[in-house]
Amino acid sequence: MIEAINYSWLVPLLPLIGFLLIGFFGPNEVTDSVFHRRKKMSKGLAGLIACATVGIGFIMSCGMFGQLFGDEAVGEIFQVGKGNPSYTVHLFNWIHAGNFNADFSFLIDPLSVIFLLIITGVGFLIHVYSIGYMHDDPAFSRFFSHLNLFIFFMLLLVLGDNYLVMFVGWEGVGLCSYLLIGFWFKNTEYNKAANKAFIMNRVGDLGFILGIILIFLTFGSIKYSEVFDTAGSFPSNQAVMITITLLLFVGATGKSAQIPLYTWLPDAMAGPTPVSALIHAATMVTAGIYMIARSNILYTLAPISMDIVAGVGLFTGIFAATIGLFQNDIKKVLAYSTVSQLGYMFLGLGVGAYTGAVFHVMTHAFFKALLFLGAGSVIHAMSGEQDIRKMGGLKKSLRITFLTFMMGTIAISGIFPFSGFFSKDEILGHAFAYNKFFWLMGVLGSVMTAFYMFRLFYLTFFGKFRGTHEQEHHLHESPKTMTIPLIVLAVLSVVGGIFGIPEVMGGKHFLKEFLEPVFSASELKMLPKELSHSTEIILMAVAVIAALASIYSAYYLFVKNKNVPPADTAHINPVQKMIYNKYYMDELYAKLFTKPTDWLSDKLHRFVEIKFIDQIVNFVGEGVTWTSSQARLIQTGHIGFYIFAMVIGIILILLYKLV
């Protein structure tokens, strides 16, 4: 098993090779390009390379997981002592300047391996699904090359053993999201969505960069092991620790779409549906969760920052859930549910439930990838239609999509014994021990999640078909390349909770034990807030009963009474209209930031650039032009004048020397 970790560098390298091969030699939509004339690769081979490079990475990740799983094997191989199974793979010396050192090395430990499994496992299924979904797209190879590059950078992000390697992956996924959201770049609106995602992430990245700089100035290193070991001796609530953690959190709010930097994520639906699944389930948006979980000891030593993380996460979760209640675009509903579920994960991190947050990342990857791919299957059958008001009755024509989508909907609603129940319950349990109000708001968000997800489910698959005759005639189940990933993800959504069955239910919570070495330093410094078993059972029952009541409400409204959301032109009450229009946040941002920036840019252009900078540059240029035009008059062509000038020159040189 030792070979798996020794060759861990292959896990990110393989998708990178896939990106290069497909990018250079895959079928290209530009017919007159050099690469097209040299084309040798078919779409099938391009898809095979893309899937294989990620699939092999998943197999290797399973090997690393198996290696870290056994304590005895860990003790023998790494000699690191019980409870600290981690291994550093040094690749090469990277930056050495003065006191600053940063090697290009990978850290293989339980946290990075869990994320490796999620990224490569779910990423592989999304790749397979994409072969069917993107089969007729002329930019087939460009899509898969970008998809592989996305996987490469995300793997780099979670594998690095220091903050600088993490930042390289961090920026890389930002670039890839820009490329994939704006994949259909001939559509201006899609380009605007890509720009929005790119720019809003740069705002968060500024905080992340400043946080890394402050970490180096404080600890003299950016390597995780050195930073965390030194930080362990710091007292709680020091100003520098609070500042570092808040700066890192600014970066996390951008990448993981939390208030106020969340509005790019719903617009990211402009990209192809498999891209939405990859961004929302396995890669980009989980980066912020990973970064805070990796830096857990820093946050544990800054309780004020943890309160802020929990508060922002909770508020984002509730806020996004209310918007999801009235959305009618099938992908937009899922997008706001992602923002809401990410809020739950940050709530978990903020209340010290580090394992619970990572657990919810894992289960969320299963059911959110399933839901997005299921939505893609619906859109595929509906000839591109995404409005759930124009669907209905699809369960007859799309049996596999219907059944798998139902599994995902139940899982995200937190119904026992589906995977979402266990991970969400763990976060809510910790929230209750930390702050009763946090728990109450968390349950409220869970109730809204169950309602809007089943509203989406009922309106899509139940009742009469509300689309056109052409769409009804075209309805059909998706090909196997699309349905097989749905089935696998549905199974994971159902049984994924077995990794974290709590003790009160007779489980050992395998994930908690596996991740214990990563979070042990934080647990030692946090006050124990254990709940009694009876309290845990009551909390579980309240959450499930509330979710079931919410599901029945959705059934009563949209199945029994056959209600359909009103058309966009219909009159609705002001509160509903405000929520439907997403609280006018985009308009507010445009008024507060975009328009003032445009105004300032215009004034700077008119009065600083044109009136000042341009005048100086033009003056210098015109001066040189005038001087040269005068100097050229010296070239008269009269030899006598040249001899005269030479004599004068000699005299001046002699005078200069004599003086």
Side-chain angles (χ1 to χ4, degrees):
M1 295 296 285
I2 185 69
E3 289 79 7
I5 285 181
N6 282 346
Y7 292 97
S8 59
W9 50 272
L10 275 173
V11 177
L13 183 64
L14 285 171
L16 181 63
I17 293 172
F19 156 71
L20 294 172
L21 287 176
I22 300 167
F24 282 111
F25 302 109
N28 199 301
E29 71 267 35
V30 182
T31 55
D32 59 351
S33 71
V34 173
F35 299 117
H36 177 75
R37 290 196 292 273
R38 295 178 180 174
K39 182 186 73 176
K40 292 182 180 177
M41 191 183 293
S42 64
K43 281 187 176 180
L45 182 57
L48 180 64
I49 291 173
C51 294
T53 51
V54 180
I56 294 172
F58 175 68
I59 294 170
M60 294 188 67
S61 301
C62 289
M64 287 186 272
F65 172 78
Q67 188 170 331
L68 293 183
F69 182 69
D71 283 341
E72 291 185 7
V74 171
E76 288 177 8
I77 295 169
F78 304 126
Q79 299 298 314
V80 292
K82 187 177 180 182
N84 186 25
S86 64
Y87 187 76
T88 300
V89 179
H90 178 75
L91 297 178
F92 54 84
N93 299 327
W94 187 20
I95 300 174
H96 292 272
N99 296 326
F100 182 82
N101 295 306
D103 293 331
F104 205 93
S105 303
F106 290 160
L107 175 64
I108 311 298
D109 73 345
L111 183 62
S112 59
V113 167
I114 288 293
F115 273 84
L116 285 185
L117 289 170
I118 294 171
I119 297 163
T120 55
V122 177
F124 171 72
L125 294 172
I126 293 172
H127 269 67
V128 173
Y129 176 95
S130 301
I131 291 176
Y133 192 84
M134 298 297 291
H135 184 266
D136 297 326
D137 197 293
F140 184 87
S141 62
R142 179 162 58 87
F143 175 81
F144 274 100
S145 64
H146 289 170
L147 217 57
N148 265 34
L149 189 64
F150 206 159
I151 294 284
F152 161 72
F153 277 120
M154 191 62 201
L155 291 171
L156 203 63
L157 190 154
V158 301
L159 276 173
D161 83 330
N162 62 68
Y163 282 101
L164 198 57
V165 176
M166 181 197 281
F167 186 73
V168 172
W170 190 275
E171 288 302 303
V173 294
L175 168 66
C176 291
S177 69
Y178 169 78
L179 295 173
L180 286 167
I181 293 168
F183 179 74
W184 290 312
F185 57 84
K186 293 180 181 177
N187 185 315
T188 304
E189 292 303 314
Y190 294 175
N191 282 331
K192 287 181 179 177
N195 287 335
K196 188 176 182 180
F198 192 77
I199 292 168
M200 292 199 83
N201 272 279
R202 297 292 78 71
V203 175
D205 292 350
L206 176 62
F208 190 18
I209 293 171
L210 294 175
I212 295 174
I213 293 172
L214 192 53
I215 286 173
F216 177 72
L217 294 175
T218 305
F219 300 103
S221 174
I222 56 170
K223 189 172 182 177
Y224 298 146
S225 57
E226 295 174 359
V227 172
F228 301 154
D229 287 347
T230 308
S233 61
F234 275 52
S236 292
N237 267 333
Q238 279 212 333
V240 67
M241 203 66 77
I242 295 170
T243 308
I244 287 172
T245 48
L246 289 181
L247 286 172
L248 294 179
F249 182 55
V250 171
T253 56
K255 200 63 78 187
S256 296
Q258 296 295 286
I259 288 175
L261 302 177
Y262 76 97
T263 57
W264 66 269
L265 190 59
D267 287 5
M269 297 300 99
T273 301
V275 172
S276 305
L278 195 62
I279 291 178
H280 286 243
T283 56
M284 188 166 170
V285 299
T286 63
I289 313 296
Y290 171 79
M291 186 249 278
I292 292 181
R294 173 62 74 193
S295 311
N296 63 87
I297 184 63
L298 304 184
Y299 281 87
T300 301
L301 292 169
I304 294 175
S305 298
M306 291 187 71
D307 285 340
I308 293 173
V309 171
V312 170
L314 184 64
F315 183 55
T316 303
I318 299 290
F319 184 80
T322 59
I323 298 176
L325 293 172
F326 296 102
Q327 294 302 303
N328 296 316
D329 183 306
I330 188 170
K331 288 176 69 177
K332 285 285 179 70
V333 176
L334 297 179
Y336 280 104
S337 83
T338 299
V339 177
S340 181
Q341 296 303 308
L342 288 168
Y344 272 100
M345 296 171 205
F346 278 104
L347 171 64
L349 293 170
V351 299
Y354 296 118
T355 301
V358 175
F359 189 20
H360 203 52
V361 168
M362 186 177 77
T363 60
H364 180 261
F366 299 153
F367 55 70
K368 187 49 63 67
L370 168 62
L371 292 169
F372 263 113
L373 298 186
S377 183
V378 169
I379 295 167
H380 180 75
M382 291 289 297
S383 305
E385 181 60 67
Q386 295 186 194
D387 193 330
I388 56 177
R389 292 171 295 188
K390 299 175 183 175
M391 298 181 184
L394 297 186
K395 68 176 182 178
K396 298 173 185 173
S397 307
L398 309 174
R399 294 299 297 176
I400 297 176
T401 302
F402 162 69
L403 289 171
T404 54
F405 202 93
M406 183 171 66
M407 299 296 108
T409 307
I410 297 173
I412 196 174
S413 300
I415 304 300
F416 178 83
F418 288 68
S419 60
F421 163 80
F422 294 98
S423 56
K424 195 178 289 186
D425 173 73
E426 185 168 346
I427 291 174
L428 290 176
H430 277 78
F432 183 85
Y434 191 85
N435 186 309
K436 304 294 185 294
F437 178 73
F438 283 5
W439 171 81
L440 184 62
M441 290 295 102
V443 172
L444 177 62
S446 179
V447 167
M448 286 192 285
T449 300
F451 181 84
Y452 68 68
M453 283 307 304
F454 270 89
R455 170 182 178 268
L456 165 69
F457 177 68
Y458 290 140
L459 287 171
T460 302
F461 293 102
F462 285 75
K464 291 183 178 179
F465 184 72
R466 300 182 292 275
T468 64
H469 289 296
E470 290 76 14
Q471 288 171 331
E472 190 170 16
H473 181 70
H474 180 260
L475 288 177
H476 62 279
E477 185 56 278
S478 299
K480 288 184 178 177
T481 50
M482 294 169 66
T483 53
I484 290 175
L486 291 180
I487 294 170
V488 175
L489 287 167
V491 172
L492 291 171
S493 299
V494 175
V495 304
I498 60 174
F499 297 103
I501 297 176
E503 291 181 8
V504 69
M505 291 186 172
K508 291 184 65 177
H509 205 312
F510 156 76
L511 196 64
K512 184 178 180 182
E513 289 187 5
F514 186 64
L515 290 172
E516 188 177 4
V518 182
F519 303 131
S520 58
S522 291
E523 289 175 357
L524 288 174
K525 292 184 178 296
M526 286 191 293
L527 294 174
K529 294 179 179 177
E530 297 291 335
L531 297 175
S532 66
H533 284 183
S534 59
T535 305
E536 281 190 67
I537 294 292
I538 292 172
L539 294 180
M540 289 177 187
V542 169
V544 171
I545 291 171
L548 288 173
S550 187
I551 292 169
Y552 178 76
S553 300
Y555 173 82
Y556 181 81
L557 287 172
F558 302 108
V559 178
K560 197 169 183 179
N561 286 338
K562 301 177 182 177
N563 287 319
V564 177
D568 290 341
T569 54
H571 177 73
I572 53 179
N573 69 65
V575 175
Q576 188 176 342
K577 186 176 180 180
M578 181 178 68
I579 300 174
Y580 179 71
N581 286 295
K582 299 163 283 186
Y583 296 98
Y584 299 102
M585 291 303 292
D586 284 326
E587 290 79 1
L588 181 65
Y589 283 5
K591 204 165 189 176
L592 290 179
F593 303 108
T594 308
K595 288 184 179 178
T597 304
D598 289 344
W599 179 85
L600 183 62
S601 301
D602 181 62
K603 297 304 177 191
L604 290 173
H605 172 68
R606 290 187 181 194
F607 299 107
V608 177
E609 185 176 348
I610 294 179
K611 300 288 185 183
F612 186 66
I613 296 175
D614 280 3
Q615 291 298 322
I616 293 175
V617 173
N618 291 339
F619 175 76
V620 172
E622 289 170 359
V624 172
T625 303
W626 181 85
T627 303
S628 60
S629 69
Q630 297 303 310
R632 71 183 172 81
L633 296 177
I634 298 173
Q635 298 281 31
T636 62
H638 297 292
I639 296 174
F641 174 75
Y642 295 154
I643 295 173
F644 173 75
M646 183 180 70
V647 171
I648 295 297
I650 292 171
I651 292 171
L652 290 174
I653 292 170
L654 290 174
L655 287 173
Y656 174 76
K657 289 292 183 183
L658 290 173
V659 174

